[in-house]
Amino acid sequence: MKVAKFGGSSVSNAKQIKKVLDIVNGDPERKIIIVSAPGKRSNNDTKTTDLLIRLYEKVLNGLDYQNKKKEIIQRYADIVKELDMDDEILTTIDETLELYINQLYDKPSRLYDALLSCGEDFNAQLIASYNNSQGIPTRYVSPKEAGLTVTDLPQQAQIIDSSYEKIYKLRNYKEKLIIPGFFGISKQNYIVTFPRGGSDITGAIIARGVRASLYENFTDVSGIFKANPTIIDKPELIEEITYREMRELSYAGFGVFHDEALQPLYKDRIPVVIKNTNRPNDKGTYIRHDREVNSDNVISGISCDKGFTVINIKKYLMNRQVGFTRKILAVLEEFNISFDHMPSGIDNISIIMRTNQIKGKESQVLNEIRKRCEVDELSVDHDLAILMIVGEGMNQVVGTASKITHALSESNINLKMINQGASEISMMFGIRVEDAEKAVLSTYEFCYHGICLKNLCS
Ligand code: ASP
């Protein structure tokens, strides 16, 4: 049994929905389908989920929200009309939005989640009903009926482990099942959404729950590129990648697949394939537990992400002081800051975090570190980008670091920091934000094609 998830652009209008159903109905193993809310139909369009956020903002600020509500209903009305369906579903949509607004206007975070869930929920009902009308037995299954019981923290739902037993029972249905992505129901009976992009997470949970042989994640690209296509002209696609590699690449900016979606899959080793709804016969990218390494696929992908802040601390004889790092980390913990990397020397340590983690708290954090750790020097750098070179093959092959540093030095890029964990699955280079694109371009060309981009020297 396969579980297939279709992202927002795949279900953005009637034409796309027909393509999706051709894919779904073309394979009897595709039994359980997870759908997103209608996404953008063109570059200037707005995702339904974002329209729902605007509706929420209007309600919250006591403004007239009727036009925004109409705009949302119109997204579905367009689909209903083009699919030649009965438009009674539009009344249900209107009534549901009003019901949530009336019931939850004094509980803003609950209202937010309830309204946002509507994007996927209405789409799932609509698609199931259309497929049924085409003679294919299909059933809409709500997250509650499916057994998706989640924790009660708004916008940060996490699946409760006992849910999996109930989800397994979805195997018993004879029809094709359409389940809305992006939310579950808490034990307190509230609708709670996953983080943005969270339909991937629903798909992963369902795939694990029914012990699917494959989780197909359909989107608008034919797989995962080896580097960002806005930097590299037509980058190659990755054929196969491990869960660990995917996690590292998503962390550093590869947005095709939600990193939280890997967790349920990883546990039961459910393979994933990222495929293109518009070109379903393309092979796609497989994400699995293990992969074969050969000389051509040592490095899986290269990514670079901006928006990091680094705190640099110097203290003479730091290496001999017991508990020094613990004191620094205690400060971060008290300010609820999570950090990502911590490269160190004998008398210095750098702590790298996403800038949003420390924003608004920086001077207090620094004061506290100064006070408790009696540091010799303390500085902050906001100008950090992180280049990640990711590949399971690196622990079996000698010379990858040398290739990367060669490419970077030929392009005149100064390395502020280097970090590699014991697993040797990724190498991290801290560089200046201005060098980010140049770094991806030069390492991509040198590592994959042996081309040295000397002309990038500035
Ligand atoms: N519709 C939600 C969002 O835009 C979830 C998703 O599409 O995965 O974030």
Side-chain angles (χ1 to χ4, degrees):
M1 178 188 283
K2 295 175 187 167
V3 168
K5 179 254 165 180
F6 291 86
S9 58
S10 304
V11 285
S12 61
N13 59 27
K15 193 169 150 221
Q16 288 299 97
I17 290 174
K18 281 187 182 163
K19 278 189 204 166
V20 164
L21 291 174
D22 279 346
I23 295 170
V24 169
N25 299 332
D27 183 347
E29 280 187 39
R30 288 189 182 117
K31 276 285 305 283
I32 304 185
I33 315 305
I34 316 299
V35 294
S36 278
K40 290 183 178 193
R41 293 159 295 187
S42 62
N43 280 348
N44 313 327
D45 201 13
T46 311
K47 283 172 142 203
T48 314
T49 309
D50 292 320
L51 292 177
L52 287 158
I53 293 179
R54 291 187 199 157
L55 173 67
Y56 161 81
E57 285 163 354
K58 294 243 176 218
V59 175
L60 188 72
N61 295 316
L63 301 169
D64 180 6
Y65 59 81
Q66 290 304 324
N67 282 343
K68 197 47 74 188
K69 190 183 74 181
K70 276 194 200 134
E71 203 183 328
I72 292 162
I73 299 174
Q74 193 56 44
R75 287 292 318 249
Y76 296 96
D78 291 346
I79 299 174
V80 163
K81 186 164 168 240
E82 274 183 68
L83 292 178
D84 214 5
M85 291 172 70
D86 192 331
D87 63 6
E88 100 202 285
I89 191 168
L90 302 177
T91 314
T92 316
I93 292 178
D94 193 350
E95 285 169 1
T96 310
L97 291 171
E98 285 294 346
L99 181 81
Y100 289 155
I101 292 170
N102 289 326
Q103 275 181 348
L104 298 169
Y105 73 93
D106 58 346
K107 294 193 177 91
S109 59
R110 301 300 183 181
L111 176 64
Y112 186 89
D113 281 19
L115 288 180
L116 258 66
S117 74
C118 291
E120 345 296 280
D121 204 20
F122 301 152
N123 221 18
Q125 293 179 39
L126 192 158
I127 294 170
S129 143
Y130 176 70
N131 211 33
N132 239 326
S133 72
Q134 300 305 295
I136 318 280
T138 309
R139 184 187 170 107
Y140 156 79
V141 178
S142 71
K144 187 169 185 152
E145 189 186 349
L148 269 152
T149 311
V150 295
T151 52
D152 197 41
L153 197 58
Q155 290 122 65
Q156 289 183 41
Q158 298 211 333
I159 191 73
I160 291 178
D161 259 349
S162 56
S163 305
Y164 286 113
E165 231 168 275
K166 176 139 190 231
I167 294 171
Y168 185 75
K169 301 207 172 98
L170 292 173
R171 293 184 76 103
N172 299 337
Y173 289 98
K174 294 280 167 284
E175 311 97 312
K176 291 209 185 264
L177 307 183
I178 313 269
I179 303 176
F182 192 37
F183 67 99
I185 307 294
S186 70
K187 286 195 173 139
Q188 291 78 351
N189 214 17
Y190 282 112
I191 291 173
V192 190
T193 60
F194 295 112
R196 287 300 303 269
S199 296
D200 286 352
I201 306 175
T202 306
I205 291 168
I206 301 288
R208 181 182 176 205
V210 299
R211 314 224 177 103
S213 57
L214 182 65
Y215 172 30
E216 298 176 302
N217 196 287
F218 282 88
T219 172
D220 52 8
V221 282
S222 291
I224 302 169
F225 293 115
K226 291 181 178 172
N228 186 342
T230 63
I231 302 175
I232 309 289
D233 185 30
K234 301 199 188 74
E236 289 158 34
L237 282 168
I238 301 172
E239 272 180 35
E240 217 181 11
I241 188 171
T242 66
Y243 300 122
R244 292 175 297 267
E245 289 173 312
M246 190 63 232
R247 153 86 180 114
E248 300 264 350
L249 288 170
S250 331
Y251 156 78
F254 275 40
V256 188
F257 192 60
H258 203 294
D259 55 354
E260 271 189 49
L262 289 166
Q263 207 180 11
L265 302 164
Y266 183 77
K267 287 191 180 146
D268 280 356
R269 303 193 178 187
I270 313 269
V272 190
V273 62
I274 309 289
K275 284 180 84 91
N276 190 344
T277 303
N278 304 314
R279 297 174 59 94
N281 295 327
D282 287 359
K283 265 171 76 188
T285 298
Y286 279 83
I287 312 174
R288 305 181 200 276
H289 187 264
D290 293 305
R291 69 172 174 90
E292 291 281 324
V293 174
N294 60 47
S295 56
D296 291 332
N297 66 13
V298 173
I299 296 176
S300 283
I302 296 173
S303 72
C304 193
D305 206 5
K306 300 174 187 170
F308 288 90
T309 291
V310 50
I311 303 180
N312 298 306
I313 299 160
K314 284 192 191 158
K315 168 87 178 161
Y316 190 58
L317 296 181
M318 188 187 89
N319 65 328
R320 295 212 209 141
Q321 248 194 54
V322 175
F324 185 79
T325 321
R326 186 185 52 75
K327 282 192 235 160
I328 302 170
L329 297 186
V331 175
L332 297 185
E333 188 177 356
E334 279 160 37
F335 282 88
N336 201 24
I337 292 172
S338 74
F339 73 92
D340 295 9
H341 305 271
M342 194 166 56
S344 65
I346 50 169
D347 288 343
N348 58 73
I349 188 160
S350 297
I351 307 188
I352 303 173
M353 64 209 73
R354 300 253 176 209
T355 302
N356 61 8
Q357 288 289 313
I358 192 163
K359 214 170 174 181
K361 316 172 183 168
E362 191 176 303
S363 56
Q364 286 163 282
V365 170
L366 296 184
N367 281 343
E368 220 37 54
I369 293 179
R370 239 182 242 115
K371 205 161 80 194
R372 291 194 216 171
C373 308
E374 292 171 11
V375 297
D376 295 336
E377 272 179 49
L378 189 60
S379 64
V380 181
D381 183 355
H382 299 108
D383 178 37
L384 195 76
I386 283 189
L387 175 73
M388 296 287 287
I389 313 287
V390 177
E392 295 271 0
M394 292 196 293
N395 63 5
Q396 297 165 34
V397 173
V398 176
T400 314
S402 128
K403 279 190 194 161
I404 299 160
T405 48
H406 177 77
L408 294 172
S409 81
E410 289 295 303
S411 297
N412 208 19
I413 293 171
N414 181 30
L415 300 180
K416 293 184 169 196
M417 263 163 245
I418 305 181
N419 202 9
Q420 182 186 37
S423 69
E424 287 189 57
I425 182 188
S426 68
M427 258 179 246
M428 180 286 261
F429 298 87
I431 56 175
R432 289 185 324 156
V433 169
E434 303 86 275
D435 289 335
E437 280 79 23
K438 203 163 70 164
V440 172
L441 198 56
S442 57
T443 47
Y444 179 89
E445 287 304 343
F446 195 59
C447 293
Y448 290 123
H449 305 128
I451 300 169
C452 186
L453 296 176
K454 274 193 194 262
N455 55 350
L456 287 180
C457 299
S458 48

